[in-house]
Amino acid sequence: MLQTQQNQSYKNKHILIVEDEPSLVFTLQDTLENEGYQVSVTHNGNDALAVIAKKAPDLMLLDIMLPGMSGYEICKKVREDKHLFPIIMLTARDQEIDKVTGLNIGADDYITKPFGVKELLARIQARLRRSHTYVKTGPISELQLGEVKVDLINSVAVRPDGNQELTTREVELIRYLYAYANEPVSRDALLEHVWRYEFSTNTRTVDVHVSKLRSKIELKPEDPHFLVTLHGVGYMLKNV
Ligand code: CA
């Protein structure tokens, strides 16, 4: 019952696939249409931009290695044109190193090929659910937390008592909490969206990382002003 209701709300959402590998296009299109999505397909950047100019999709699945413009260039262009729909990049395993580049130019998520249908659908639904937050915040490059400047491009917290480097995970954590600034965020939501249910992670993993991050971005981590714990609920980024 719940499943049916969930699918219902995504019906008629328009997804644009930009991918040049015919077998993958076939699988993606078939899967998404079976779920009730409206699907458009293009095989290169110019065609993708033409589709978007005509009618922006609700979400785009974007391959990185494409003939002509790369996925990165397309993503950058789309954001420069002020389109805020979610973009999920499709990446080969050896391209994972470019993840940070992609997130900084405005992609929302990555999925590594080969991927399972269930995982893909879960990611798409998660992005459609929270796409309003992108409209709210847009991609941020830095945050001023009191005397601490958090530079999300260079992954560093600039503090009066010295700089602290941030890990990729910590940057993602801040981005996620910022998208929901002044709202409670549960540990489960962080596991789902920041850790994406990676093997052997649990809510304890989240607590450890949040605590470490707090020690980098708060001048008094034992009495936090920005990244606070909500007992029995989770975390909240406030005063931003
Ligand atoms: Ca390709």
Side-chain angles (χ1 to χ4, degrees):
M1 181 58 112
L2 185 62
Q3 193 61 40
T4 314
Q5 284 173 347
Q6 278 180 348
N7 287 345
Q8 208 65 23
S9 62
Y10 299 111
K11 239 187 162 110
N12 297 325
K13 291 280 184 187
H14 175 207
I15 297 184
L16 172 60
I17 300 171
V18 189
E19 169 66 64
D20 61 328
E21 197 185 311
S23 61
L24 185 54
V25 168
F26 179 81
T27 310
L28 286 171
Q29 185 166 14
D30 193 50
T31 304
L32 295 174
E33 284 178 352
N34 276 334
E35 287 292 311
Y37 292 107
Q38 285 180 25
V39 180
S40 302
V41 175
T42 69
H43 308 290
N44 62 64
N46 285 335
D47 290 351
L49 294 174
V51 168
I52 293 165
K54 230 165 130 191
K55 187 176 186 299
D58 295 301
L59 182 144
M60 173 161 70
L61 294 177
L62 179 59
D63 185 29
I64 293 175
M65 298 291 284
L66 289 162
M69 295 172 86
S70 75
Y72 292 123
E73 290 170 294
I74 298 167
C75 181
K76 201 158 166 256
K77 180 82 176 73
V78 166
R79 293 304 186 224
E80 279 169 5
D81 292 346
K82 308 280 182 232
H83 289 293
L84 297 172
F85 54 79
I87 299 176
I88 301 179
M89 301 200 90
L90 308 174
T91 164
R93 200 160 281 282
D94 56 0
Q95 293 167 337
E96 268 179 316
I97 190 132
D98 291 333
K99 189 168 177 178
V100 177
T101 314
L103 288 175
N104 282 335
I105 56 171
D108 298 82
D109 202 358
Y110 277 76
I111 190 158
T112 306
K113 299 177 197 174
F115 45 81
V117 164
K118 273 190 182 162
E119 189 193 358
L120 176 74
L121 292 175
R123 296 282 187 91
I124 289 174
Q125 293 190 359
R127 289 297 146 180
L128 288 175
R129 247 195 327 262
R130 57 177 285 225
S131 59
H132 72 283
T133 61
Y134 206 95
V135 176
K136 191 171 96 184
T137 64
I140 49 163
S141 56
E142 67 173 57
L143 262 179
Q144 192 70 43
L145 304 178
E147 290 180 67
V148 180
K149 186 178 89 177
V150 184
D151 178 341
L152 297 167
I153 303 293
N154 298 303
S155 305
V156 62
V158 181
R159 306 165 54 101
D161 56 357
N163 293 0
Q164 288 278 350
E165 284 191 20
L166 302 172
T167 63
T168 305
R169 184 83 70 192
E170 287 166 344
V171 169
E172 283 189 53
L173 198 46
I174 296 175
R175 284 190 187 283
Y176 190 82
L177 290 167
Y178 183 71
Y180 289 89
N182 303 309
E183 292 175 36
V185 175
S186 71
R187 291 174 174 82
D188 283 339
L190 293 173
L191 270 181
E192 181 185 347
H193 297 291
V194 178
W195 274 266
R196 303 181 189 106
Y197 295 123
E198 277 166 24
F199 182 66
S200 85
T201 54
N202 54 44
T203 53
R204 178 75 192 132
T205 313
V206 175
D207 293 339
V208 170
H209 279 80
V210 168
S211 166
K212 181 92 179 157
L213 173 60
R214 184 183 279 143
S215 72
K216 294 179 179 180
I217 63 171
E218 296 268 3
L219 292 180
K220 283 188 199 160
E222 67 285 356
D223 181 23
H225 184 62
F226 302 100
L227 179 46
V228 298
T229 302
L230 303 174
H231 189 67
V233 178
Y235 296 100
M236 183 161 79
L237 188 66
K238 61 175 196 175
N239 300 317
V240 292

